[in-house]
Amino acid sequence: MESEASARPRLSESMRQKKPSEAGQIWPRALRELSFRSLVLFFAGTVCSLVLVLLQAEQRFAPLPVLSTCWVSGFGGTAAVAIGLAYPCVDGCVGQESGRSDWSSVMRCLIVFFGINEASVKIPFEDSRELTLTLALMSLCLWWLFDRTSAGFGLGVGAAFVASSVASVVAVGLGSFSDSDNLGRPPLWLPCIFFAGVVTFGHLGRQLAWDKKKMA
């Protein structure tokens, strides 16, 4: 009996010594995972921003011609990090999941996103309203195919509104948009492009978070 009683304090002391060490290992691991996800999102956002700027510059619809390419790509990378990290957090808060996907789904989502941007500059439309309606339908189809969650839709609409407001302020303060039909204001179809981009990088962020769960 005495040996058992003396062994219990030793076990409790050893458990107390292990808990701080385990906690010390969890935090660096979480920081490494968060840093890796942020780097992937920033790189993807930067590359996509550069490609889209070059694509838009080929036509008369150049979204922000007065801004340097580095500024636009940096802003796109930062926005991709914020969106990609926010989507899994919001899913966890509301208890809503978009369904398990794979990297092929992410690649298809990126292809559709670039296709929407390609359509905005390549397909001839009679006026901006027709273009806006077409891009809105295509963006909603993108959300329906790869998201289908109310949280994703709400984040997409909110982020598109904020991005369009920022673009309006920048356009008024630094220069005008190249589309002469808008009299220096952002084109009507621009929020549709932002919405599609938010859904795309939210999908990428969810996939990165899902991979982290599988490895844990």
Side-chain angles (χ1 to χ4, degrees):
M1 297 291 293
E2 294 180 356
S3 61
E4 293 179 358
S6 60
R8 289 176 181 174
R10 294 177 183 176
L11 290 174
S12 61
E13 291 178 359
S14 62
M15 291 176 65
R16 291 176 183 175
Q17 292 177 357
K18 290 181 180 180
K19 287 182 179 179
S21 62
E22 291 177 356
Q25 294 177 358
I26 292 175
W27 279 105
R29 184 186 306 170
L31 289 176
R32 287 195 300 268
E33 293 173 350
L34 183 62
S35 300
F36 174 75
R37 290 162 57 193
S38 299
L39 287 174
V40 172
L41 289 166
F42 185 82
F43 177 77
T46 301
V47 172
C48 289
S49 297
L50 289 173
V51 173
L52 295 180
V53 167
L54 295 176
L55 178 64
Q56 297 285 342
E58 293 179 358
Q59 304 294 325
R60 62 192 183 100
F61 301 113
L64 294 174
V66 296
L67 300 179
S68 64
T69 304
C70 295
W71 193 95
V72 174
S73 60
F75 178 79
T78 303
V81 173
I83 293 167
L85 296 180
Y87 261 67
C89 293
V90 173
D91 291 339
C93 292
V94 301
Q96 190 176 35
E97 294 184 359
S98 61
R100 300 177 183 178
S101 60
D102 51 20
W103 283 105
S104 63
S105 176
V106 175
M107 295 303 298
R108 290 195 300 270
C109 187
L110 285 169
I111 292 172
V112 174
F113 173 59
F114 281 114
I116 293 174
N117 284 272
E118 185 78 10
S120 68
V121 297
K122 297 293 185 180
I123 301 178
F125 291 92
E126 294 182 358
D127 53 19
S128 60
R129 293 183 180 180
E130 183 181 354
L131 173 60
T132 301
L133 180 60
T134 303
L135 293 181
L137 292 175
M138 295 174 69
S139 299
L140 288 176
C141 290
L142 175 70
W143 169 79
W144 180 257
L145 289 173
F146 301 101
D147 194 317
R148 297 188 187 183
T149 62
S150 57
F153 183 82
L155 282 173
V157 172
F161 175 78
V162 172
S164 299
S165 301
V166 172
S168 300
V169 173
V170 172
V172 172
L174 298 179
S176 62
F177 286 82
S178 60
D179 188 359
S180 58
D181 296 337
N182 292 286
L183 301 177
R185 298 187 299 269
L188 295 175
W189 49 263
L190 192 59
C192 302
I193 299 295
F194 285 140
F195 177 82
V198 171
V199 173
T200 300
F201 286 101
H203 192 52
L204 174 60
R206 282 170 170 165
Q207 182 62 37
L208 290 171
W210 175 246
D211 283 351
K212 183 199 72 172
K213 292 180 181 179
K214 291 193 297 184
M215 293 175 62

